[in-house]
Amino acid sequence: MAARREVEITGLHVSPVHAFEGRPLDGPRPDPGPVAHDRVAVRAGLGLVGDRYFNHPAHRNAAVTFIAAESLAPWPVDPLVARRNVVLRGFDVDAVARGTVFSLDSGDGPVRFEVHRPASPCAWMDAVIAPGAFKALRGKGGVRCVPLDDGLLRIGRAVLALTGT
């Protein structure tokens, strides 16, 4: 039986470009438009529609990134500065083992994701969050997943179910 819990999706980030290129001291590139969304479309095996990793061959098993809102709590910043696609409150995504499958249902039906690897932080975290954030986020940078279903995710309350490995 699946372990279920209520969580909150506090951020959804979709950007067609990389903002963290070059040297952190030079600052991030500006996004071409809004990256925060109230809802995002998920496509099985491809990622989030409109995101820079959507259907990107090198990122098929890592197209959607998740981070726990609690990992960013020490800093009074917008949680989307970490540039993870989905920010979840109420679930320690970093504690989930590789190969684990979980689903998120934010009101439009469950969407399953398989965890493939950690989303390790980079030196950019010191530039966009605060000095020392890069080191502090080691082991708390989130996870990279592949979506297993088509669906929709929305900001707000959701039900997360661990469905297995």
Side-chain angles (χ1 to χ4, degrees), residues 107-162:
D108 294 286
V111 180
R112 293 175 306 136
F113 296 89
E114 183 177 354
V115 177
H116 275 269
R117 65 180 188 259
S120 300
C122 65
W124 277 97
M125 298 303 101
D126 285 348
V128 298
I129 295 176
F134 170 50
K135 185 175 179 181
L137 284 170
R138 288 184 189 153
K140 299 178 192 175
V143 292
R144 295 184 176 277
C145 302
V146 62
L148 302 177
D149 303 307
D150 289 351
L152 192 66
L153 294 179
R154 296 178 186 271
I155 291 287
R157 293 172 141 189
V159 174
L160 184 141
L162 290 172

Side-chain angles (χ1 to χ4, degrees), residues 25-90:
L25 291 176
D26 296 335
R29 290 181 2 179
D31 281 304
V35 294
H37 296 273
D38 293 334
R39 64 183 180 178
V40 295
V42 181
R43 295 292 173 258
L46 301 174
L48 303 182
V49 174
D51 191 64
R52 63 200 175 280
Y53 293 127
F54 183 81
N55 198 25
H56 193 281
H59 293 281
R60 289 240 171 83
N61 288 335
V64 181
T65 55
F66 288 82
I67 192 167
E70 293 82 358
S71 294
L72 299 167
W75 305 282
V77 296
D78 179 339
L80 295 182
V81 299
R83 297 192 62 87
R84 300 301 187 248
N85 297 120
V86 182
V87 182
L88 283 180
R89 182 175 310 286

